[in-house]
Amino acid sequence: MTNQDLLSIAKECGTPVYVYDVNSISEQYKKLTSSFSKTTRFFYAAKALTNINILKYVEKLGASLDCVSINEVKLGLKAGFSNDRILFTPNCVDLAEIEEAMSHKVHINIDNISILEQFGNKFGGSYPIFVRINPHIYAGGNHKISTGHIDSKFGISIHQMRHIERVMKSTNLNVEGLHMHTGSEIKDPDVFIQGLEIMFELAEHFPNLKYLDMGSGFKVPYQEGDIETDVKSLGKKVNASIKKYEEESGKKFQLWFEPGKFLVSDSGHFLVKSNVIKQTTATVFVGVNSGFNHLIRPMFYDSYHIIENLSNPKGAERIYTVVGNICETDTFAWDRKINEVREGDVLVFRNAGAYGFEMSSNFNSRLKPAEVMFLDGKAHLIRKRDEFEDLLKNQIEVL
Ligand SMILES: *Cc1c(COP(=O)(O)O)cnc(C)c1O
């Protein structure tokens, strides 16, 4: 997909609009499958981007699906994933939501002792489960997206192994898998190996174990000089570590991963229009027709998105602060070098596939953007832009 394609889409569909070049998803998926052993399975973390067309595309690639809510499970089934290719990994949900997932016969991952006990008392070993462990490895690019540390709400602490075992024995739980997800954007691949070794140790406590799920943490580069997780070298290390374990223990487990942004981040291009150029004493602002209501990542966790001016690619580079049109401090980027921006120019935010549209809202009574899928050289509208009526859709007028 070229910049010219993006400009045509902006012209045809208007802005703001999210465009997904699905070829990139396929390439990222191949990187993963070619780096690990053939039996390794990849569960796309649906929460990164759940448009039904993206889910269907990922299903056709052969991946499985990691879901964090019952609605993601239902979307996954609707997109064509069979139940054995869906893992339900909720946190802080009640037993009723877990029972609803059981009715769909998907894999279930339990992340706290209270639910483990309730589940065991009601179902015993009749339905196999995963247990989510918190290994207390500090990993992840940013405290807000790190999940494995000691203060994290996720998983059951490895220090509570005895308690897990007690519940398991007294209720006859059938634990088929162990899970850990230590956070997003892990820079040091050795963290995965460290996690894997903890898994091997824990495996001794679970006689029915078949699967080890290492979650995600695969990093993608957001700016120049950033690195992508080197999955080739990680794959080699992981394979060596598993081989050694299998030889020593005589046991064999299937390895699972749950990549979200690694699969879809790069595919996404978010197009906006420059509304106003505003020169102040200190800086030059570009005010665009969007805001953190459409792309919250920069304000939410200081993420960096490369921004380019598609309408004036040869213009002289100048320094800008790019802001949205929301009545809150709403900065996409500070002091960015961008080809001269004029009012009306189309700008693109790169790497906007993961947690972009998915986290959008109607804040300021603005309309959510449209979504376009670029497939085999053609652009397909896959979500209409909100309309004014959508703002009132679920409201009940009593006055
Ligand atoms: C969010 C999440 C993922 C995906 O994380 P990425 O950083 O997008 O790869 C995987 N597993 C679980 C349980 C998650 O909550």
Side-chain angles (χ1 to χ4, degrees), residues 13-143:
C13 305
T15 57
V17 58
Y18 277 94
V19 183
Y20 310 116
D21 177 7
V22 292
N23 194 39
S24 155
I25 301 177
S26 156
E27 278 171 16
Q28 292 297 95
Y29 184 65
K30 277 187 212 135
K31 275 189 207 166
L32 289 172
T33 52
S34 64
S35 299
F36 292 86
S37 78
K38 287 218 159 32
T39 56
T40 307
R41 289 170 67 186
F42 299 93
F43 287 66
Y44 166 53
K47 73 174 190 283
L49 177 59
T50 56
N51 186 293
I52 192 78
N53 300 281
I54 298 293
L55 296 181
K56 284 183 181 177
Y57 185 82
V58 171
E59 192 278 328
K60 287 203 170 58
L61 289 178
S64 298
L65 198 68
D66 181 52
C67 302
V68 293
S69 74
I70 188 66
N71 294 325
E72 284 186 358
V73 170
K74 291 187 198 165
L75 284 172
L77 291 166
K78 189 169 164 51
F81 290 90
S82 54
N83 46 17
D84 61 311
R85 286 166 69 199
I86 294 180
L87 171 65
F88 182 44
T89 301
N91 76 90
C92 296
V93 300
D94 57 16
L95 191 62
E97 188 165 331
I98 288 179
E99 288 189 51
E100 194 180 346
M102 288 166 74
S103 76
H104 296 293
K105 299 194 165 57
V106 300
H107 297 283
I108 307 264
N109 190 358
I110 295 182
D111 105 316
N112 63 80
I113 294 209
S114 169
I115 295 285
L116 203 59
E117 233 161 23
Q118 293 176 45
F119 183 96
N121 287 335
K122 196 155 179 187
F123 303 108
S126 64
Y127 196 106
I129 52 164
F130 277 61
V131 173
R132 179 171 186 171
I133 302 289
N134 186 334
H136 305 306
I137 302 172
Y138 190 84
N142 176 320
H143 195 73

